[in-house]
Amino acid sequence: MSAISRYAHSTNLIGIATSCMASPLFNENPQALHIAGTREAAAGLFEKLAQQRTLAACGQVFQDYMCVVFGFEAEQRLGLDKQGRRRFRSSYLRLIQDWGLDSNNAQGAVFKGWVESRFGLFPNFHKQPLNGFMDKNWLVYIEEKMNNRYHNNCIFMQLDLLYEYCQWVVERFRIPAARHKTLYRGVDNLDDYSVAADVDKTQKIVCFNSLVSFTDQRNIASEFGAYILEVQVPVVKLVFFNELLPHHALHGEAEYLVIGGDYRVKVQR
């Protein structure tokens, strides 16, 4: 097991100990999670959302708000700077898109860094297993997650709003309808995952990375590996899912982005 996966920050912004939040016990008995101060700081956004009747309308309001507050529209209008270079402003949508392409790139490190900052959960994999704080692989992760190219536009604040909007949608529209969502992940080799315990022949406690992708369609998961991991994910750990926004780059694979930790997993073939 990756040694670093057993550690977490002593503080976080959710008001629940990370060791509790990342445990199977929490997953089976979830409590509401909120990033401190986010909804209060964007009270106008959530008041406007409450006036909408449909999820599509809410998604458009959210994306319009993010464009205005974080200057995405201005970036598009300006195009090039005085030196003829294209302006770059980090965007939650671009981060989602790049995560879909490769979760081990620099943008993936930024996303994992946000989870670490807000939820206190260390990643256990980035390009290579992360086995200790003095390990060279950990230093690569630190360097990439702190790259100032991706921190020039309050990217963590953008992701805070994305998470809180996701949870608001879950509360308002009951999407998903239950406290848990059955999700799947296809893998080729079970040895690539840290197994905390074997429950029985088909069930294990698996320590997932700090942020992990799943799909809600079993047939899609089967395209990514010989084994299918079935997980009951509490909806309070959802960061993003397909229906959340009208415009994004992950429509094709019915993808869900989920806060990681230890999960009870059913292994299927």
Side-chain angles (χ1 to χ4, degrees):
M1 179 180 296
S2 173
I4 209 167
S5 66
R6 297 292 92 196
Y7 294 94
H9 284 291
S10 58
T11 59
N12 57 45
L13 295 183
I14 57 173
I16 296 176
T18 301
S19 58
C20 172
M21 184 276 299
S23 70
L25 181 61
F26 179 88
N27 293 339
E28 293 162 9
N29 303 276
Q31 305 296 316
L33 298 175
H34 294 288
I35 298 172
T38 300
R39 293 199 190 188
E40 293 80 358
L45 167 63
F46 289 95
E47 289 173 5
K48 185 70 173 177
L49 289 171
Q51 298 169 12
Q52 310 306 310
R53 294 186 176 182
T54 66
L55 177 56
C58 289
Q60 194 61 57
V61 166
F62 178 79
Q63 293 202 282
D64 289 346
Y65 176 90
M66 298 294 278
C67 281
V68 172
V69 171
F70 296 101
F72 305 147
E73 290 183 338
E75 177 193 22
Q76 293 165 3
R77 289 197 299 269
L78 290 170
L80 304 178
D81 64 15
K82 293 179 180 179
Q83 287 74 42
R85 297 172 301 186
R86 186 167 298 279
R87 291 176 181 268
F88 180 89
R89 287 191 178 184
S90 55
S91 156
Y92 72 104
L93 284 174
R94 187 171 292 170
L95 215 62
I96 290 171
Q97 174 183 307
D98 292 338
W99 174 275
L101 295 173
D102 181 7
S103 62
N104 287 303
N105 57 22
Q107 298 91 320
V110 173
F111 227 143
K112 295 166 191 173
W114 169 75
V115 175
E116 181 187 344
S117 171
R118 273 39 181 172
F119 296 85
L121 190 62
F122 292 130
N124 61 19
F125 190 95
H126 184 71
K127 291 183 170 68
Q128 298 290 332
L130 303 178
N131 295 314
F133 300 115
M134 298 307 295
D135 186 89
K136 66 178 181 179
N137 296 324
W138 178 261
L139 299 180
V140 169
Y141 159 69
I142 292 293
E143 180 181 4
E144 291 194 346
K145 82 165 183 175
M146 298 180 68
N147 189 321
N148 60 12
R149 175 177 173 83
Y150 305 104
H151 289 276
N152 63 1
N153 198 22
C154 305
I155 190 62
F156 280 9
M157 187 181 297
Q158 293 182 47
L159 295 175
D160 291 346
L161 286 166
L162 177 66
Y163 174 77
E164 286 295 340
Y165 170 65
C166 178
Q167 292 303 308
W168 183 89
V169 166
V170 169
E171 296 165 11
R172 169 72 182 278
F173 294 100
R174 299 299 175 188
I175 303 173
R179 297 177 71 196
H180 294 82
K181 177 71 174 177
T182 302
L183 298 177
Y184 307 93
R185 182 175 176 87
V187 301
D188 279 323
N189 191 350
L190 295 176
D191 293 335
D192 292 339
Y193 290 82
S194 298
V195 178
D198 290 312
V199 179
D200 55 38
K201 290 183 178 180
T202 61
Q203 292 194 61
K204 303 176 184 294
I205 304 297
V206 173
C207 182
F208 284 107
N209 211 349
S210 55
L211 186 67
V212 60
S213 294
F214 291 95
T215 178
D216 64 352
Q217 297 183 26
R218 192 181 187 281
N219 62 317
I220 291 179
S222 67
E223 297 173 1
F224 288 86
Y227 297 93
I228 296 177
L229 308 183
E230 179 183 315
V231 182
Q232 298 297 319
V233 175
V235 295
V236 298
K237 286 192 174 182
L238 298 180
V239 176
F240 177 83
F241 56 91
N242 251 357
E243 297 85 356
L244 189 63
L245 299 173
H247 309 294
H248 65 84
L250 297 184
H251 281 295
E253 296 172 357
E255 191 158 354
Y256 285 69
L257 299 186
V258 174
I259 303 299
D262 292 353
Y263 282 84
R264 188 182 298 272
V265 171
K266 182 183 294 185
V267 180
Q268 304 174 359
R269 298 200 70 170

